Amino acid sequence: MKKEDCIFCKLSSGEIPSNTIYEDEMFRVILDAAPASKGHALILPKEHYANLYEIDAETAGEAMKLAKKLAGHMTDVLQCDGFNLVQNNGEVAGQTVFHFHLHLIPRYRNMKNSDILTWSHETFTEEEMKEICQSLSQ
């Protein structure tokens, strides 16, 4: 199902032209219009899912299989030095378009945005870690 006011639904269906690098019956992969690096692309499902919480497991699995395939191909073609897969869920996590998508970001030594995915590390006491572990293990 598509969402009429969703720009990624329009991009994935071809209603809005894009720089498409791959397409099949489930996905369209396009170059990001505001790339973090050379070759930065987005895997867009053709069906609308707002985020990881809404996408069905089968489609999510197919998206990851496609990411693996494209990451290898892009690394060979672009000769990048590393690769990030990024998937944000919710505004606080950096999601700005509420249509599930997976970023494919080739990484290059000495690139302008070399610190693009860094964060400050949190510290927790051993007791807090055990509580977190216990709550997640149930």
Side-chain angles (χ1 to χ4, degrees), residues 97-111:
V97 178
F98 294 88
H99 178 115
F100 176 92
H101 56 287
L102 185 57
H103 291 261
L104 304 169
I105 308 174
R107 303 290 296 210
Y108 305 89
R109 292 192 200 299
N110 304 315
M111 67 182 271

Side-chain angles (χ1 to χ4, degrees), residues 37-94:
S37 69
K38 177 183 174 184
H40 180 174
L42 304 173
I43 296 177
L44 306 175
K46 291 185 176 180
E47 295 296 321
H48 183 82
Y49 308 94
N51 51 42
L52 182 65
Y53 307 113
E54 288 188 8
I55 195 168
D56 62 87
E58 181 181 338
T59 304
E62 292 301 319
M64 187 55 74
K65 289 178 190 175
L66 180 56
K68 178 179 176 15
K69 174 182 171 179
L70 289 174
H73 175 69
M74 293 168 77
T75 298
D76 290 344
V77 171
L78 298 172
Q79 297 294 296
C80 58
D81 301 303
F83 213 92
N84 290 118
L85 298 178
V86 178
Q87 203 283 309
N88 303 317
N89 296 282
E91 189 176 338
V92 71

Side-chain angles (χ1 to χ4, degrees), residues 23-38:
E23 183 175 12
D24 63 23
E25 63 281 347
M26 293 180 72
F27 302 99
R28 181 180 295 252
V29 182
I30 65 171
L31 292 179
D32 194 306
S37 69
K38 177 183 174 184

Side-chain angles (χ1 to χ4, degrees), residues 114-133:
S114 61
D115 64 345
I116 192 169
L117 295 175
T118 60
W119 55 80
S120 299
H121 294 275
E122 297 282 339
T123 54
F124 298 95
T125 66
E126 186 61 33
E127 183 178 304
E128 289 171 321
M129 291 294 280
K130 285 181 182 180
E131 286 176 15
I132 294 166
C133 183

